[in-house]
Amino acid sequence: MRKEANKNDPRRIRPKGKKIKQKFPTAEARLKYKIEKAKLKEVMLVEKLKKYEVAKAQGPMAKPDDLSGEERFYLKKVSQKKSNYVPVGRRGVFGGVILNMHLHWKKHETVKVICKPCKPGKIQEYANEIARLSGGIPVNIIEDDTIVFYRGKNYVQPEVMSPVDTLSKKKALEKSKYEQSLETVRRFIAISEKELELYYRHVALYGIPQSQKADPVCGDDRETSLLKMGGLDQGKDQLPHLATNHFSGLHISDISESDEEDTSGSEYNVNDDDTA
């Protein structure tokens, strides 16, 4: 059951194949690889979200907004005194939200719809969508996260209170996870592209860093790395003696990260041999 549940987890979506930890010679290659991989995941998430699209059906006919100023003022005051509300969480607007609104309208003229979390400017989209699905009239918007809906003067409870063109509670949660993951991936792509642009500016001003000009050393061949950094052509017998002479003239900026790890280990071994 846990494996079946993890199939719908967007964090597990990645290109097929064995995950390999790669070493990149330059920062440009590393950033390009990450951007390419993130764009591939973005395409996969968009394909997943297409499964949750529902064709919009004709909902209840929206009642004309023929409320006078006094009636609207009265409804605002009534809604402030009453505490009945319907929450709209991370799932967004689904069938359960409209069902709860109709249940509140049995005994109350108004109901407050609290949308949290709600992005700036999205409260109006929620108001239009809920009005289309429920047939209510939005009366007031409070603090950019609360909408007051009026049921109408001649309200009749429908037979099917949950609209057919909305998602279920489970599918709405799955859709919200994919949307959140897609938003995170797009933000990561934007940040990585900005870093790549800053890298190009740095190269244009100061040139390629010296650490990237050095030849990358593959594997754990300690003798080959010492010969390349010191520029030595002597045999293997003179290697420990020559390595100690040439380590003092090297700088950290002249070697890559992988070379630095190898040289630190080899220098420690050489000193041990000399002391012995």
Side-chain angles (χ1 to χ4, degrees):
M1 292 175 64
R2 183 175 295 276
K3 289 182 179 179
E4 291 295 330
N6 288 336
K7 288 182 179 179
N8 296 326
D9 191 353
R11 294 174 296 180
R12 294 181 175 268
I13 294 179
R14 59 174 59 93
K16 292 183 179 180
K18 188 177 180 181
K19 188 176 180 180
I20 302 174
K21 187 176 181 180
Q22 298 186 7
K23 293 183 179 180
F24 303 97
T26 61
E28 180 184 5
R30 175 176 58 83
L31 288 172
K32 284 184 177 180
Y33 174 78
K34 286 187 175 182
I35 292 172
E36 182 181 358
K37 192 174 180 181
K39 287 183 177 179
L40 183 59
K41 185 173 182 178
E42 180 185 8
V43 173
M44 298 173 69
L45 287 171
V46 171
E47 291 294 328
K48 287 281 187 180
L49 282 173
K50 289 182 179 179
K51 298 179 181 179
Y52 298 94
E53 293 180 357
V54 181
K56 291 184 178 181
Q58 181 61 39
M61 295 299 295
K63 302 174 180 61
D65 189 4
D66 55 353
L67 298 174
S68 62
E70 295 179 355
E71 293 174 341
R72 190 175 290 273
F73 178 79
Y74 166 75
L75 292 172
K76 289 181 182 179
K77 288 295 183 181
V78 168
S79 63
Q80 290 177 2
K81 294 180 180 180
K82 293 183 179 180
S83 60
N84 59 315
Y85 70 96
V86 175
V88 176
R90 61 175 297 180
R91 293 179 175 86
V93 180
F94 65 101
V97 175
I98 309 302
L99 173 63
N100 290 332
M101 289 179 66
H102 285 294
L103 293 177
H104 279 284
W105 280 339
K106 281 184 178 181
K107 299 181 180 180
H108 305 280
E109 291 181 338
T110 60
V111 63
K112 288 185 287 188
V113 179
I114 300 177
C115 308
K116 288 185 180 181
C118 185
K119 298 178 182 178
K122 199 173 182 180
I123 191 69
Q124 194 62 40
E125 297 180 8
Y126 279 138
N128 297 334
E129 183 69 12
I130 293 173
R132 182 186 69 84
L133 294 171
S134 65
I137 300 172
V139 175
N140 190 18
I141 295 178
I142 306 171
E143 297 181 356
D144 295 335
D145 61 359
T146 305
I147 315 169
V148 178
F149 280 93
Y150 173 54
R151 66 183 182 182
K153 295 180 180 179
N154 301 319
Y155 171 73
V156 178
Q157 192 178 71
E159 297 180 359
V160 181
M161 291 184 285
S162 182
V164 295
D165 57 340
T166 55
L167 296 173
S168 62
K169 186 176 182 179
K170 181 180 178 181
K171 290 186 177 180
L173 179 61
E174 292 176 1
K175 182 182 178 181
S176 67
K177 289 181 180 180
Y178 287 119
E179 288 178 346
Q180 183 180 9
S181 181
L182 180 61
E183 181 182 358
T184 304
V185 169
R186 286 176 175 172
R187 191 187 307 116
F188 174 79
I189 292 173
I191 293 173
S192 299
E193 289 178 348
K194 186 66 177 178
E195 289 181 0
L196 187 61
E197 182 181 354
L198 293 175
Y199 173 79
Y200 286 146
R201 289 183 183 179
H202 181 82
V203 171
L205 291 174
Y206 305 104
I208 301 176
Q210 294 182 0
S211 60
Q212 297 180 7
K213 292 181 180 179
D215 296 334
V217 179
C218 300
D220 194 14
D221 194 357
R222 182 174 59 186
E223 298 177 357
T224 307
S225 62
L226 292 173
L227 286 172
K228 285 187 177 181
M229 288 186 294
L232 304 176
D233 296 331
Q234 286 79 357
K236 296 182 180 179
D237 298 335
Q238 302 177 1
L239 181 61
H241 175 69
L242 294 174
T244 54
N245 294 335
H246 285 271
F247 262 115
S248 59
L250 290 177
H251 299 283
I252 297 177
S253 60
D254 296 335
I255 56 175
S256 61
E257 295 179 358
S258 59
D259 296 338
E260 186 177 1
E261 295 176 359
D262 296 339
T263 53
S264 61
S266 60
E267 186 178 4
Y268 179 76
N269 296 333
V270 169
N271 293 333
D272 291 344
D273 296 339
D274 292 337
T275 56

